[in-house]
């Protein structure tokens, strides 16, 4: 068993603006693991603050024990997350490496069965947004990041030249009155989804508003299995990310719960390496929406785990 890890700064080709921040680069953990005579890599965004020296020895000892005792995948993952003093980012990256070792055939089978379409995200906060729209005219789905009701005029301008599916991501930028107007005005533009229009913790206020047939998706409000159950009375679906849900196994459980109680599921990501997005493809045929374009904006991604051509995911 061999274990290597490092942190890298990944630069974006172009700064990306949302309602609450501008991103120029991201910090990412990369892990390389040799286990059961197989070699695989994993990665995660740095999603927790850690100032000390990473206690790699504890991780290595645990993995050596699991290999020697021929422990099964679920045992390894369950106990991996119980280890103390190890940053969550390193646990997620290691889980992904183990997933790639144990499940690589399933991913290929999943991709072969169906054509998988992902959205591409464009920030309407940028003044040159129409040049970005022109670049992605052949994509079947565009997701727009918005921050105020003034952005509706920009959506109207987009609709004049783009006939594909439109999703909206507000990242909690609106108040309740604004959200009511948002749904009403966007309903005339054939918008399919509005994601997280209210700030985290306030989405429960939306249970009585008229959504005009637009699906309401919770993002920041959905981070664990309990959230899925709580949200079913208020939203039409949930957006799941590996780092936000604290691991791939949790994502899988949250997908299963969502489908059991009738919620739609979107698999999503941040601006991050294709390596940390790739495992989500294994669940792609179980969900309703894919928003997995986050690696396209990375300038120096050490991996090319998959490609996207005109909105179609290629492995």
């Amino acid at each position: 068993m061999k274990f290597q890890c490092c942190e890298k700064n990944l630069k974006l080709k172009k700064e990306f603006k949302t309602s609450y921040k501008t991103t120029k680069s991201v910090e990412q953990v990369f892990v390389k693991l040799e286990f059961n005579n197989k070699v695989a890599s994993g990665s995660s965004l740095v999603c927790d603050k850690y100032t000390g020296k990473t206690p790699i020895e504890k991780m290595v000892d645990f993995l050596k024990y699991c290999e020697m005792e021929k422990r099964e995948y679920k045992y390894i993952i369950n106990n991996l997350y119980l280890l103390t003093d190890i940053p969550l980012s390193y646990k997620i990256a290691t889980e992904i490496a183990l997933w790639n070792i144990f499940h690589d055939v399933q991913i290929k089978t999943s991709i072969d069965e169906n054509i998988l379409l992902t959205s591409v995200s464009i920030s309407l906060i940028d003044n040159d947004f129409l040049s970005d729209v022109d670049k992605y005219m052949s994509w079947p789905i565009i997701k727009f990041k918005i921050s105020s009701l003034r952005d509706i005029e920009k959506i109207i301008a987009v609709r004049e030249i783009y006939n594909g599916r439109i999703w909206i991501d507000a990242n909690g930028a609106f108040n309740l009155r604004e959200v009511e107007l948002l749904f009403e005005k966007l309903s005339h533009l054939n918008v399919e989804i509005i994601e997280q229009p209210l700030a985290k913790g306030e989405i429960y206020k939306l249970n009585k508003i008229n959504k005009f047939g637009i699906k309401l998706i919770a993002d920041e409000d959905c981070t664990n299995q309990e959230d899925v159950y709580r949200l079913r009375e208020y939203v039409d679906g949930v957006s799941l990310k590996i780092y936000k849900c604290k691991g791939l196994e949790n994502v899988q459980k949250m997908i299963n719960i969502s489908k059991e109680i009738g919620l739609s599921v979107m698999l999503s990501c941040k601006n991050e390496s294709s390596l940390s997005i790739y495992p989500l493809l294994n669940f792609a045929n179980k969900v309703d929406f894919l928003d997995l374009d986050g690696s396209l904006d990375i300038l120096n991604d050490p991996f090319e785990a998959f490609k996207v051509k005109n909105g179609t995911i290629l492995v």
Side-chain angles (χ1 to χ4, degrees):
M1 201 288 300
K2 294 182 180 178
F3 180 88
Q4 296 174 290
C5 63
C6 66
E7 294 186 15
K8 291 182 180 291
N9 180 269
L10 304 185
K11 300 184 183 302
L12 271 61
K13 297 173 184 176
K14 175 185 176 182
E15 66 180 26
F16 192 78
K17 297 178 181 178
T18 66
S19 61
Y20 62 93
K21 71 175 181 179
T22 297
T23 302
K24 298 180 179 180
S25 66
V26 294
E27 295 294 325
Q28 193 126 6
V29 174
F30 290 91
V31 161
K32 183 177 180 181
L33 176 64
E34 182 177 333
F35 190 89
N36 288 348
N37 297 317
K38 295 182 180 180
V39 179
S41 297
S43 185
S44 171
L45 288 172
V46 175
C47 50
D48 47 357
K49 300 295 183 182
Y50 190 77
T51 57
K53 182 180 178 181
T54 306
I56 298 302
E57 294 79 8
K58 183 181 290 188
M59 181 89 80
V60 171
D61 289 342
F62 169 71
L63 293 171
K64 283 182 177 178
Y65 164 78
C66 291
E67 183 181 53
M68 182 178 64
E69 295 295 323
K70 302 186 185 304
R71 294 294 187 178
E72 295 182 352
Y73 174 77
K74 286 199 172 181
Y75 171 90
I76 300 173
I77 299 306
N78 290 340
N79 287 276
L80 171 68
Y81 281 94
L82 295 178
L83 296 176
T84 58
D85 303 322
I86 296 174
L88 178 62
S89 302
Y90 283 77
K91 293 178 180 179
I92 293 174
T94 302
E95 179 188 10
I96 289 176
L98 287 163
W99 177 272
N100 289 334
I101 286 172
F102 281 88
H103 298 85
D104 56 338
V105 175
Q106 289 189 30
I107 293 175
K108 293 172 185 174
T109 301
S110 175
I111 297 302
D112 289 342
E113 287 175 355
N114 290 300
I115 295 175
L116 301 179
L117 300 178
T118 179
S119 64
V120 63
S121 294
I122 294 176
S123 175
L124 288 187
I125 302 169
D126 284 333
N127 292 326
D128 61 343
F129 70 94
L130 281 177
S131 65
D132 288 332
V133 173
D134 186 63
K135 180 180 177 183
Y136 294 109
M137 284 290 289
S138 61
W139 284 56
I141 313 165
I142 299 180
K143 182 164 89 166
F144 293 99
K145 298 278 188 175
I146 67 172
S147 61
S148 74
L149 291 176
R150 292 188 300 273
D151 291 329
I152 294 174
E153 295 300 318
K154 297 178 181 179
I155 299 293
I156 293 173
V158 168
R159 233 340 151 211
E160 292 178 354
I161 60 173
Y162 178 70
N163 294 320
R165 297 160 66 188
I166 291 179
W167 300 348
I168 300 296
D169 190 356
N171 291 115
F174 295 86
N175 61 41
L176 184 58
R177 175 56 184 154
E178 289 172 331
V179 170
E180 292 174 336
L181 290 172
L182 188 68
F183 274 97
E184 180 183 358
K185 292 182 178 298
L186 291 182
S187 67
H188 303 296
L189 299 173
N190 198 23
V191 168
E192 184 178 8
I193 286 171
I194 296 178
E195 188 177 346
Q196 196 69 40
L198 291 179
K200 183 177 180 180
E202 296 185 0
I203 205 164
Y204 306 100
K205 298 176 182 178
L206 298 178
N207 61 323
K208 294 182 180 180
I209 72 163
N210 186 346
K211 293 179 288 186
F212 294 90
I214 300 175
K215 283 186 177 294
L216 172 62
I217 303 293
D219 183 0
E220 286 85 349
D221 271 299
C222 188
T223 62
N224 56 54
Q225 297 170 55
E226 290 74 22
D227 287 340
V228 177
Y229 285 114
R230 283 195 292 266
L231 287 164
R232 63 179 165 177
E233 301 296 329
Y234 308 97
V235 302
D236 301 297
V238 293
S239 175
L240 308 179
K241 301 178 179 73
I242 295 177
Y243 90 99
K244 181 187 71 172
C245 301
K246 296 181 173 59
L248 197 58
E249 195 73 14
N250 284 335
V251 168
Q252 186 173 13
K253 292 175 182 177
M254 292 167 74
I255 291 172
N256 292 338
I257 293 170
S258 298
K259 303 317 284 181
E260 287 173 5
I261 63 178
L263 288 178
S264 297
V265 177
M266 174 188 290
L267 294 182
S268 189
C269 61
K270 291 284 194 179
N271 292 119
E272 56 187 294
S273 170
S274 59
L275 181 64
S276 55
I277 301 170
Y278 179 67
L280 289 173
L281 300 183
N282 190 74
F283 310 132
N285 294 328
K286 300 178 181 179
V287 303
D288 306 278
F289 310 108
L290 298 179
D291 176 34
L292 301 178
D293 66 313
S295 61
L296 302 184
D297 292 329
I298 301 296
L299 187 63
N300 57 329
D301 191 347
F303 292 84
E304 191 178 45
F306 63 92
K307 297 181 180 180
V308 182
K309 183 177 181 180
N310 295 332
T312 300
I313 296 173
L314 307 171
V315 178

